[in-house]
Amino acid sequence: MRNVKRIEIVIGKPHEHVVLDLLRNQGVPGFTVFEAVAGFGDRGARDGGELSDALVNRCILTTCEADRLPDLTAALEPVLLRFGGLCLISDAQLIRNE
């Protein structure tokens, strides 16, 4: 096992590609995308079953090494400020060694 940072990003589906491109450009080796997540925030309620993809949220789960976190968050913050969404970062242990 090794210590990593767990990163969960919630973003509207129309802007998901921006975050995924950012993660690739930052050298993040992989991610998992959860479709149509529900919740409530500063942009109102989202139940995951909206009529248009414009109001559907996605959750992107990934990890990174602690020393790479400052560059990743610096790149991600303007995206979240522009398009909305949130990013949660926590400590985790990764079982798989890469």
Side-chain angles (χ1 to χ4, degrees):
M1 279 194 296
R2 63 188 169 100
N3 294 327
V4 295
K5 295 296 183 178
R6 176 186 170 122
I7 303 167
E8 298 168 83
I9 304 163
V10 177
I11 191 83
K13 183 178 177 182
H15 311 297
E16 170 190 20
H17 71 282
V18 176
V19 173
L20 297 180
D21 289 346
L22 181 150
L23 294 175
R24 288 183 192 103
N25 290 337
Q26 290 291 318
V28 172
F31 49 81
T32 300
V33 178
F34 299 95
E35 296 190 21
V37 295
F40 180 84
D42 62 346
R43 295 174 189 245
R46 306 287 171 100
D47 68 12
E50 281 77 6
L51 295 175
S52 166
D53 282 348
L55 299 177
V56 171
N57 280 338
R58 296 282 178 93
C59 181
I60 302 165
L61 173 65
T62 191
T63 63
C64 80
E65 303 297 328
D67 62 337
R68 301 192 74 186
L69 191 60
D71 290 339
L72 180 59
T73 56
L76 186 58
E77 186 174 17
V79 173
L80 296 175
L81 288 173
R82 180 174 180 192
F83 299 120
L86 66 94
C87 177
L88 299 172
I89 300 169
S90 56
D91 293 325
Q93 291 185 319
L94 183 63
I95 293 175
R96 187 180 77 213
N97 286 323
E98 297 177 4

